Amino acid sequence: MNAETLLSRLRAELDDGGLRGSFLVRDLRTGYEIGIDPDLEFPSASLVKIPLAAATLERIRRGELDGSAPIDVQPGRATAPGPTGLTRFRHPARVAIDDLLYLSMAISDETAADTLFALTPPAEVTRMTRDWGVSGITARHPVADLSDTPAERFDPTDVHLAHALAINAGTAGQGHPVPQLDVTRASSGSARAFTSLLEALWTPSKVDDGVASRVRELMGLNLLRQRLSPDFVSDATKWSSKTGTLLNLRHEVGVVEHADGGTYAIAALTESRVPAAIQPEAEVLMARVARALRDHLRAGHVCALPDTGISGMCSTHRLISPRTSRN
Protein backbone atom coordinates (compact mmCIF):
# COMPACT_ATOMS: atom_id res chain seq x y z
CA MET A 1 0.00 0.00 0.00
CA ASN A 2 1.43 3.40 -0.94
CA ALA A 3 1.52 6.27 1.52
CA GLU A 4 -1.36 8.18 -0.02
CA THR A 5 -3.70 5.19 0.15
CA LEU A 6 -2.63 4.35 3.71
CA LEU A 7 -3.12 7.89 4.96
CA SER A 8 -6.51 8.20 3.30
CA ARG A 9 -7.61 4.96 4.98
CA LEU A 10 -6.31 6.03 8.40
CA ARG A 11 -7.97 9.44 8.19
CA ALA A 12 -11.27 7.70 7.42
CA GLU A 13 -10.83 5.36 10.40
CA LEU A 14 -10.12 8.27 12.72
CA ASP A 15 -13.17 10.16 11.46
CA ASP A 16 -15.41 7.09 11.82
CA GLY A 17 -14.16 6.71 15.40
CA GLY A 18 -14.91 10.34 16.26
CA LEU A 19 -11.26 11.39 16.48
CA ARG A 20 -9.17 14.15 14.97
CA GLY A 21 -5.45 13.94 15.46
CA SER A 22 -1.90 15.06 14.84
CA PHE A 23 0.30 12.01 14.25
CA LEU A 24 3.94 11.64 13.29
CA VAL A 25 6.32 8.69 13.20
CA ARG A 26 10.01 9.35 12.51
CA ASP A 27 12.71 6.75 11.91
CA LEU A 28 15.54 8.03 14.10
CA ARG A 29 18.14 6.10 12.10
CA THR A 30 17.26 7.40 8.62
CA GLY A 31 15.26 10.57 9.24
CA TYR A 32 12.28 9.42 7.18
CA GLU A 33 8.88 10.21 8.62
CA ILE A 34 5.18 9.80 7.90
CA GLY A 35 2.32 11.63 9.53
CA ILE A 36 -1.24 12.90 9.57
CA ASP A 37 -1.57 16.65 10.14
CA PRO A 38 1.74 16.63 12.07
CA ASP A 39 1.83 20.42 12.44
CA LEU A 40 -1.66 20.73 13.94
CA GLU A 41 -1.25 22.31 17.38
CA PHE A 42 -3.01 20.94 20.47
CA PRO A 43 -3.03 21.78 24.17
CA SER A 44 -0.28 19.48 25.43
CA ALA A 45 -1.81 18.52 28.80
CA SER A 46 0.69 16.37 30.74
CA LEU A 47 3.08 16.04 27.78
CA VAL A 48 4.56 19.32 29.07
CA LYS A 49 6.13 17.27 31.86
CA ILE A 50 8.77 15.99 29.39
CA PRO A 51 10.38 19.41 28.75
CA LEU A 52 9.85 20.23 32.44
CA ALA A 53 11.85 17.14 33.43
CA ALA A 54 14.60 17.94 30.92
CA ALA A 55 14.84 21.56 32.10
CA THR A 56 14.97 20.50 35.77
CA LEU A 57 17.71 17.97 35.06
CA GLU A 58 19.69 20.55 33.10
CA ARG A 59 19.56 22.92 36.07
CA ILE A 60 20.74 20.08 38.33
CA ARG A 61 23.63 19.44 35.91
CA ARG A 62 24.60 23.11 36.05
CA GLY A 63 24.57 23.07 39.84
CA GLU A 64 21.62 25.47 40.10
CA LEU A 65 19.52 22.78 41.81
CA ASP A 66 20.43 19.83 44.01
CA GLY A 67 18.57 16.68 43.02
CA SER A 68 18.84 15.30 46.54
CA ALA A 69 17.43 18.45 48.16
CA PRO A 70 14.18 17.76 50.03
CA ILE A 71 11.17 19.92 49.24
CA ASP A 72 8.20 20.38 51.58
CA VAL A 73 5.10 19.62 49.53
CA GLN A 74 1.58 20.50 50.59
CA PRO A 75 -1.04 17.78 49.99
CA GLY A 76 -3.22 18.05 46.91
CA ARG A 77 -6.20 16.43 48.65
CA ALA A 78 -7.80 15.67 45.28
CA THR A 79 -11.03 13.69 45.48
CA ALA A 80 -12.12 13.62 41.82
CA PRO A 81 -11.13 10.58 39.71
CA GLY A 82 -7.88 10.91 37.82
CA PRO A 83 -5.13 12.62 39.87
CA THR A 84 -2.38 10.44 41.30
CA GLY A 85 0.41 10.47 43.89
CA LEU A 86 0.99 13.62 45.95
CA THR A 87 -2.04 15.17 44.32
CA ARG A 88 -4.17 12.77 46.39
CA PHE A 89 -2.12 13.04 49.60
CA ARG A 90 -3.96 14.27 52.70
CA HIS A 91 -0.90 15.36 54.68
CA PRO A 92 2.28 17.35 53.96
CA ALA A 93 5.27 15.40 52.66
CA ARG A 94 8.98 16.01 52.17
CA VAL A 95 10.25 14.74 48.81
CA ALA A 96 13.63 15.13 47.06
CA ILE A 97 13.73 16.84 43.66
CA ASP A 98 14.94 13.61 41.99
CA ASP A 99 11.92 11.78 43.41
CA LEU A 100 9.56 14.53 42.31
CA LEU A 101 10.86 13.95 38.78
CA TYR A 102 10.03 10.26 39.06
CA LEU A 103 6.51 10.93 40.38
CA SER A 104 5.85 13.53 37.70
CA MET A 105 6.92 11.28 34.84
CA ALA A 106 6.07 7.74 35.97
CA ILE A 107 2.59 8.36 37.36
CA SER A 108 1.96 11.87 35.99
CA ASP A 109 1.66 13.38 39.48
CA GLU A 110 0.41 16.96 39.07
CA THR A 111 1.49 18.20 42.49
CA ALA A 112 5.00 16.83 41.90
CA ALA A 113 5.15 18.57 38.53
CA ASP A 114 3.96 21.89 39.92
CA THR A 115 6.53 21.70 42.71
CA LEU A 116 9.13 21.44 39.93
CA PHE A 117 7.47 24.30 38.00
CA ALA A 118 7.83 26.44 41.16
CA LEU A 119 11.59 25.92 40.82
CA THR A 120 11.71 26.36 37.03
CA PRO A 121 8.71 28.40 35.80
CA PRO A 122 6.93 27.60 32.51
CA ALA A 123 8.54 30.52 30.64
CA GLU A 124 12.02 29.24 31.59
CA VAL A 125 11.13 25.70 30.51
CA THR A 126 10.03 27.11 27.14
CA ARG A 127 13.23 29.14 26.76
CA MET A 128 15.44 26.15 27.54
CA THR A 129 13.54 23.99 25.06
CA ARG A 130 14.11 26.64 22.37
CA ASP A 131 17.81 26.77 23.29
CA TRP A 132 18.02 23.05 22.51
CA GLY A 133 16.76 23.79 19.01
CA VAL A 134 13.24 22.44 19.59
CA SER A 135 10.52 24.89 18.54
CA GLY A 136 6.77 24.51 18.69
CA ILE A 137 6.43 23.47 22.35
CA THR A 138 5.29 26.16 24.78
CA ALA A 139 4.77 25.80 28.54
CA ARG A 140 2.36 28.44 29.82
CA HIS A 141 0.82 27.42 33.15
CA PRO A 142 1.06 25.10 36.15
CA VAL A 143 -0.11 21.53 35.68
CA ALA A 144 -2.70 21.89 38.46
CA ASP A 145 -4.77 23.95 36.03
CA LEU A 146 -5.50 20.69 34.21
CA SER A 147 -7.60 19.60 37.20
CA ASP A 148 -9.61 22.82 37.26
CA THR A 149 -11.92 22.30 34.29
CA PRO A 150 -15.73 22.11 33.94
CA ALA A 151 -15.47 18.33 34.50
CA GLU A 152 -14.61 18.90 38.17
CA ARG A 153 -17.73 21.03 38.61
CA PHE A 154 -20.19 18.37 37.45
CA ASP A 155 -21.52 15.39 39.31
CA PRO A 156 -19.86 12.20 37.96
CA THR A 157 -23.14 11.21 36.33
CA ASP A 158 -23.13 14.47 34.36
CA VAL A 159 -19.47 14.58 33.32
CA HIS A 160 -20.54 14.03 29.71
CA LEU A 161 -21.83 17.63 29.77
CA ALA A 162 -18.28 18.91 30.36
CA HIS A 163 -17.10 16.87 27.39
CA ALA A 164 -19.92 18.22 25.25
CA LEU A 165 -18.78 21.75 26.15
CA ALA A 166 -15.18 20.86 25.28
CA ILE A 167 -16.27 19.46 21.92
CA ASN A 168 -18.75 22.11 20.82
CA ALA A 169 -17.38 25.39 22.17
CA GLY A 170 -14.09 25.53 20.26
CA THR A 171 -13.41 27.95 17.39
CA ALA A 172 -12.01 27.23 13.95
CA GLY A 173 -8.74 28.79 15.04
CA GLN A 174 -8.53 26.46 18.06
CA GLY A 175 -9.58 29.08 20.53
CA HIS A 176 -11.81 27.92 23.39
CA PRO A 177 -13.70 29.40 26.37
CA VAL A 178 -12.09 26.68 28.51
CA PRO A 179 -8.56 28.14 28.81
CA GLN A 180 -6.89 24.73 29.11
CA LEU A 181 -8.22 23.90 25.62
CA ASP A 182 -7.20 27.19 23.98
CA VAL A 183 -3.85 26.77 22.22
CA THR A 184 -3.03 30.46 22.74
CA ARG A 185 -3.48 30.19 26.53
CA ALA A 186 -2.67 26.56 27.33
CA SER A 187 0.66 24.78 27.19
CA SER A 188 0.74 23.50 23.63
CA GLY A 189 2.60 21.62 20.93
CA SER A 190 2.19 19.51 17.81
CA ALA A 191 3.14 15.98 16.88
CA ARG A 192 6.10 17.35 14.93
CA ALA A 193 7.31 19.46 17.84
CA PHE A 194 7.16 16.59 20.32
CA THR A 195 8.78 14.22 17.82
CA SER A 196 11.64 16.70 17.48
CA LEU A 197 11.98 16.80 21.26
CA LEU A 198 12.13 13.00 21.36
CA GLU A 199 14.78 13.07 18.62
CA ALA A 200 16.83 15.53 20.68
CA LEU A 201 16.61 13.15 23.66
CA TRP A 202 17.43 9.96 21.75
CA THR A 203 20.08 11.15 19.25
CA PRO A 204 23.06 13.54 19.44
CA SER A 205 21.80 17.09 20.00
CA LYS A 206 22.29 20.18 22.12
CA VAL A 207 20.73 18.39 25.09
CA ASP A 208 23.42 17.18 27.49
CA ASP A 209 23.95 13.42 27.22
CA GLY A 210 23.40 12.80 30.94
CA VAL A 211 20.21 14.88 30.95
CA ALA A 212 18.86 13.04 27.90
CA SER A 213 19.75 9.66 29.38
CA ARG A 214 17.84 10.37 32.59
CA VAL A 215 14.77 11.63 30.70
CA ARG A 216 14.82 8.46 28.60
CA GLU A 217 15.03 6.42 31.79
CA LEU A 218 12.09 8.28 33.34
CA MET A 219 9.97 7.80 30.21
CA GLY A 220 10.81 4.11 30.31
CA LEU A 221 9.35 3.97 33.84
CA ASN A 222 5.96 5.32 32.74
CA LEU A 223 3.26 3.22 34.42
CA LEU A 224 0.36 4.57 32.32
CA ARG A 225 0.30 2.02 29.50
CA GLN A 226 -3.30 1.78 28.35
CA ARG A 227 -2.92 3.84 25.18
CA LEU A 228 -0.13 3.21 22.64
CA SER A 229 1.82 0.72 24.73
CA PRO A 230 -0.19 -2.40 23.80
CA ASP A 231 0.78 -1.93 20.16
CA PHE A 232 4.48 -1.33 20.79
CA VAL A 233 5.50 -3.42 23.81
CA SER A 234 6.99 -6.89 23.33
CA ASP A 235 9.94 -9.00 24.47
CA ALA A 236 11.87 -7.63 21.48
CA THR A 237 11.06 -3.94 21.96
CA LYS A 238 11.40 -1.20 24.55
CA TRP A 239 8.68 1.45 24.75
CA SER A 240 9.38 4.74 26.59
CA SER A 241 6.60 7.30 26.66
CA LYS A 242 4.50 9.99 28.32
CA THR A 243 0.73 10.36 28.14
CA GLY A 244 -1.42 13.46 28.35
CA THR A 245 -5.16 13.58 29.04
CA LEU A 246 -7.54 16.52 29.39
CA LEU A 247 -11.30 16.37 28.87
CA ASN A 248 -11.68 15.15 25.25
CA LEU A 249 -7.92 15.20 24.56
CA ARG A 250 -5.89 11.97 24.59
CA HIS A 251 -2.19 12.11 23.76
CA GLU A 252 0.88 9.94 23.95
CA VAL A 253 4.41 10.44 22.66
CA GLY A 254 7.24 7.95 22.92
CA VAL A 255 10.06 6.02 21.34
CA VAL A 256 10.03 2.34 20.42
CA GLU A 257 13.44 0.66 20.27
CA HIS A 258 13.63 -2.72 18.52
CA ALA A 259 16.13 -5.48 19.20
CA ASP A 260 17.36 -5.15 15.60
CA GLY A 261 18.38 -1.53 16.23
CA GLY A 262 15.35 0.15 14.70
CA THR A 263 14.30 3.24 16.66
CA TYR A 264 11.14 5.22 15.97
CA ALA A 265 9.84 8.39 17.62
CA ILE A 266 6.05 8.39 17.71
CA ALA A 267 3.63 11.19 18.59
CA ALA A 268 -0.15 10.89 18.69
CA LEU A 269 -2.19 13.91 19.80
CA THR A 270 -5.96 13.52 19.49
CA GLU A 271 -9.29 15.09 20.36
CA SER A 272 -12.59 13.22 20.44
CA ARG A 273 -16.04 14.25 19.24
CA VAL A 274 -17.66 11.70 21.58
CA PRO A 275 -18.96 13.28 24.84
CA ALA A 276 -17.77 10.57 27.23
CA ALA A 277 -14.98 10.49 29.79
CA ILE A 278 -14.12 6.82 29.33
CA GLN A 279 -13.44 5.77 25.74
CA PRO A 280 -11.33 2.62 25.45
CA GLU A 281 -12.20 2.44 21.75
CA ALA A 282 -10.47 5.78 21.20
CA GLU A 283 -7.33 4.46 22.92
CA VAL A 284 -7.34 1.40 20.67
CA LEU A 285 -7.93 3.46 17.53
CA MET A 286 -5.14 5.96 18.11
CA ALA A 287 -2.73 3.10 18.86
CA ARG A 288 -3.76 1.27 15.69
CA VAL A 289 -3.15 4.39 13.58
CA ALA A 290 0.26 5.01 15.17
CA ARG A 291 1.21 1.35 14.68
CA ALA A 292 0.16 1.40 11.00
CA LEU A 293 2.33 4.47 10.38
CA ARG A 294 5.30 2.86 12.14
CA ASP A 295 4.81 -0.40 10.22
CA HIS A 296 4.82 1.52 6.94
CA LEU A 297 8.20 3.08 7.70
CA ARG A 298 9.64 -0.13 9.12
CA ALA A 299 8.71 -2.01 5.96
CA GLY A 300 10.99 0.34 4.04
CA HIS A 301 8.30 2.35 2.28
CA VAL A 302 10.38 5.51 1.82
CA CYS A 303 7.91 6.55 -0.78
CA ALA A 304 7.21 10.23 -0.91
CA LEU A 305 9.87 12.89 -0.83
CA PRO A 306 8.87 16.57 -0.60
CA ASP A 307 9.01 17.11 -4.39
CA THR A 308 6.31 14.48 -5.04
CA GLY A 309 3.49 16.83 -4.15
CA ILE A 310 2.40 15.09 -0.97
CA SER A 311 4.87 16.73 1.36
CA GLY A 312 3.90 16.56 4.99
CA MET A 313 2.50 13.04 4.68
CA CYS A 314 5.58 10.98 3.97
CA SER A 315 8.87 12.83 3.68
CA THR A 316 12.49 13.14 4.71
CA HIS A 317 13.06 15.02 7.95
CA ARG A 318 16.84 14.90 7.82
CA LEU A 319 19.41 12.16 7.73
CA ILE A 320 20.91 11.39 11.11
CA SER A 321 23.36 8.81 12.40
CA PRO A 322 22.91 6.47 15.37
CA ARG A 323 23.74 7.86 18.81
CA THR A 324 27.50 7.99 19.35
CA SER A 325 28.37 11.27 21.03
CA ARG A 326 26.73 14.62 21.58
CA ASN A 327 27.56 18.06 20.26
Side-chain angles (χ1 to χ4, degrees):
M1 184 184 300
N2 64 35
E4 208 163 5
T5 301
L6 172 67
L7 292 165
S8 178
R9 189 198 81 194
L10 295 178
R11 285 178 184 275
E13 289 184 13
L14 287 168
D15 188 59
D16 289 345
L19 289 182
R20 180 176 74 145
S22 176
F23 289 80
L24 190 65
V25 178
R26 182 178 297 164
D27 185 335
L28 296 184
R29 293 192 300 177
T30 68
Y32 285 104
E33 62 182 26
I34 184 169
I36 298 172
D37 296 329
D39 297 304
L40 185 62
E41 193 173 8
F42 280 94
S44 57
S46 287
L47 297 184
V48 75
K49 294 169 186 172
I50 305 174
L52 170 62
T56 302
L57 288 162
E58 172 61 16
R59 294 193 63 207
I60 291 172
R61 184 191 72 83
R62 295 176 185 174
E64 298 171 4
L65 298 174
D66 179 354
S68 66
I71 304 291
D72 290 326
V73 182
Q74 294 303 308
R77 296 194 177 97
T79 57
T84 59
L86 295 167
T87 309
R88 302 197 79 86
F89 274 30
R90 297 186 177 189
H91 308 285
R94 176 168 289 187
V95 186
I97 292 175
D98 280 336
D99 295 327
L100 291 169
L101 282 165
Y102 166 75
L103 292 171
S104 173
M105 294 291 285
I107 63 172
S108 209
D109 186 327
E110 293 173 1
T111 296
D114 279 345
T115 304
L116 296 174
F117 264 135
L119 299 171
T120 307
E124 180 64 7
V125 171
T126 299
R127 186 194 66 77
M128 294 174 72
T129 305
R130 299 283 193 275
D131 287 347
W132 291 324
V134 178
S135 60
I137 296 174
T138 304
R140 292 190 172 97
H141 56 78
V143 182
D145 289 359
L146 303 179
S147 294
D148 184 23
T149 72
E152 285 70 47
R153 294 171 174 78
F154 283 101
D155 184 270
T157 59
D158 294 325
V159 73
H160 65 282
L161 298 175
H163 286 261
L165 172 64
I167 294 164
N168 296 316
T171 69
Q174 292 188 279
H176 206 286
V178 178
Q180 298 93 330
L181 296 177
D182 186 326
V183 296
T184 66
R185 292 184 287 171
S187 297
S188 62
S190 64
R192 187 179 303 282
F194 277 100
T195 298
S196 294
L197 177 59
L198 295 175
E199 181 181 338
L201 295 169
W202 258 262
T203 70
S205 75
K206 294 181 179 179
V207 183
D208 175 77
D209 188 60
V211 168
S213 177
R214 179 58 177 157
V215 176
R216 296 197 303 271
E217 180 183 6
L218 289 168
M219 292 179 68
L221 296 172
N222 179 20
L223 296 178
L224 304 179
R225 293 182 168 256
Q226 79 280 13
R227 200 157 286 168
L228 301 190
S229 295
D231 274 78
F232 291 103
V233 169
S234 76
D235 288 346
T237 63
K238 179 181 180 182
W239 174 245
S240 307
S241 71
K242 182 72 190 74
T243 57
T245 308
L246 174 65
L247 290 173
N248 64 324
L249 303 181
R250 289 169 178 80
H251 308 328
E252 186 163 2
V253 304
V255 172
V256 59
E257 300 171 80
H258 297 279
D260 65 5
T263 306
Y264 299 84
I266 299 166
L269 283 62
T270 72
E271 64 179 7
S272 174
R273 299 193 306 271
V274 179
I278 300 173
Q279 296 184 48
E281 298 88 352
E283 316 270 3
V284 171
L285 176 56
M286 63 188 291
R288 185 167 69 243
V289 170
R291 173 68 180 265
L293 295 173
R294 193 290 311 270
D295 288 351
H296 188 83
L297 280 189
R298 197 178 186 203
H301 296 302
V302 189
C303 51
L305 301 181
D307 59 2
T308 63
I310 57 172
S311 173
M313 296 196 303
C314 181
S315 61
T316 304
H317 165 61
R318 66 179 178 88
L319 292 178
I320 54 178
S321 58
R323 170 180 290 270
T324 52
S325 61
R326 289 191 173 271
N327 296 333

